[in-house]
Amino acid sequence: GGNTVAFSSNMVVVPEKRLGVVVLTNAAGEMDINYGIMKLVLGNPDPQVAVTSQQLPNTKEMEGTYITSRNSKSSFFEWILGISSTLKVESVNENEIKISVYGMEGTYVQTSPYFYELTSSTPMLDPKIYFEMDGDKVKRVTTGQIADYLPLEWDRQIPWYYISLAIIAVSLFYFVITLVVMLISWLRNRKKADVKSGQKWHVWTTVLGAAFVLNNVLLLVRSISAMSTMSLHFADIKWQILLNWALLVAAAVCIVGSLLQWRVGQLTKGQKFVKYASLIMLLLLIVVLLNWNFFNVLA
């Protein structure tokens, strides 16, 4: 299944009956039509939950956080969409799990190995869910509707997401405030200004850090705003992605230049500390942006 504004599609295949149902609509409120026609043709196949007598796997194997496969893997939209489209599985007891997704929660009971049926929930949760295993690890979670869910990779886990968010937030305040302080200091002392060579690299580090964080915060704000009205075009944000590449090249030059002068004795201990703190902050920011694909075109 899939949909855009006032359009949706739904395809259901029942191999054992050699039957398929495809519904295409271009009307508002189309979800009732999609699922209503399917039930008219197939009936309501949901049986009463009956647990098999065979030995069932422990639900602890299924615990974890999963991401919808209907997501970006090569652009910064993974950052925007990822956190809102995770499915969390928690073990209730040896045969029941609780699932949380899109702000909804439901309890499922295991009726056959790795196959669960809904027993209670908030509206709209899928009635059945199946965990496809690879050895003792979950390979894929499927509901038979819209998209599967895949295990989150280590650098996409929720803690790393919030660490990345914290680095961007700290970078924003650090570089912008440092830049403002530098500007005020320069205006006060511009007549007798004598910027030491070691400080020049620090000035450039601060300027590049501020440019990086402001460019990408603006990129996120514009993208989220455009997505809310379904009006996002790559041409609208292309220049910001290209600017990221230009800033990356400039940052590499700045970092190399700063490291080549690391033994310069013109700076006080405090100035050296601030200089290298800025370099570390810039490096952390670049790592986060690279990891979350802020340098990649949309795909």
Side-chain angles (χ1 to χ4, degrees), residues 247-268:
L247 291 172
L248 181 62
V249 173
V253 173
C254 183
I255 291 169
V256 171
S258 295
L259 292 177
L260 289 176
Q261 292 196 344
W262 73 279
R263 289 190 176 183
V264 173
Q266 297 174 319
L267 304 179
T268 65

Side-chain angles (χ1 to χ4, degrees), residues 3-271:
N3 68 292
T4 60
V5 176
F7 172 84
S8 68
S9 62
N10 192 38
M11 180 177 73
V12 177
V13 178
V14 189
E16 60 270 23
K17 293 187 178 182
R18 300 179 62 81
L19 175 65
V21 178
V22 178
V23 183
L24 306 175
T25 73
N26 60 352
E30 69 279 3
M31 296 305 291
D32 289 342
I33 300 172
N34 278 358
Y35 295 105
I37 290 178
M38 182 183 73
K39 288 183 178 180
L40 283 175
V41 175
L42 300 176
N44 190 346
D46 297 339
Q48 293 295 319
V49 174
V51 180
T52 179
S53 59
Q54 69 186 106
Q55 183 67 34
L56 297 174
N58 194 299
T59 55
K60 288 287 185 182
E61 292 183 40
M62 273 57 76
E63 281 193 320
T65 304
Y66 304 86
I67 187 78
T68 176
S69 59
R70 195 178 182 185
N71 196 13
S72 172
K73 287 289 288 183
S74 59
S75 77
F76 66 91
F77 273 95
E78 184 181 9
W79 168 275
I80 300 173
L81 300 173
I83 193 67
S84 65
S85 57
T86 55
L87 179 143
K88 185 178 181 181
V89 179
E90 298 175 89
S91 174
V92 176
N93 55 50
E94 63 180 14
N95 209 37
E96 284 187 303
I97 58 173
K98 183 176 77 172
I99 285 182
S100 306
V101 61
Y102 296 117
M104 301 179 290
E105 289 188 352
T107 303
Y108 289 74
V109 63
Q110 187 173 201
T111 56
S112 60
Y114 304 110
F115 184 79
Y116 289 78
E117 296 190 49
L118 185 66
T119 56
S120 64
S121 77
T122 52
M124 295 296 290
L125 279 183
D126 294 294
K128 303 174 188 293
I129 192 166
Y130 176 70
F131 293 83
E132 182 181 343
M133 305 297 291
D134 182 9
D136 60 349
K137 294 184 178 180
V138 177
K139 179 181 179 181
R140 179 173 24 246
V141 183
T142 182
T143 64
Q145 294 287 342
I146 301 176
D148 292 339
Y149 288 85
L150 305 174
L152 277 175
E153 298 174 6
W154 72 270
D155 60 346
R156 294 299 184 265
Q157 295 289 337
I158 302 302
W160 172 238
Y161 180 91
Y162 285 118
I163 289 172
S164 300
L165 186 62
I167 289 173
I168 290 178
V170 172
S171 298
L172 173 62
F173 287 104
Y174 178 84
F175 285 119
V176 171
I177 291 174
T178 302
L179 191 61
V180 170
V181 171
M182 281 184 168
L183 182 60
I184 293 173
S185 177
W186 178 80
L187 289 173
R188 286 180 174 178
N189 302 287
R190 63 184 181 277
K191 292 183 179 180
K192 55 180 180 179
D194 180 22
V195 181
K196 300 175 183 179
S197 59
Q199 288 179 299
K200 290 178 181 177
W201 290 115
H202 179 224
V203 171
W204 280 111
T205 300
T206 304
V207 170
L208 289 170
F212 253 130
V213 73
L214 290 174
N215 181 53
N216 288 286
V217 167
L218 178 61
L219 178 61
L220 286 172
V221 170
R222 293 184 67 204
S223 299
I224 293 171
S225 176
M227 285 175 63
S228 66
T229 58
M230 304 293 285
S231 61
L232 180 65
H233 300 283
F234 174 62
D236 297 334
I237 56 177
K238 180 180 179 180
W239 69 269
Q240 288 181 269
I241 295 174
L242 294 176
L243 179 58
N244 273 344
W245 281 104
L247 291 172
L248 181 62
V249 173
V253 173
C254 183
I255 291 169
V256 171
S258 295
L259 292 177
L260 289 176
Q261 292 196 344
W262 73 279
R263 289 190 176 183
V264 173
Q266 297 174 319
L267 304 179
T268 65
K269 288 184 178 180
Q271 290 173 329

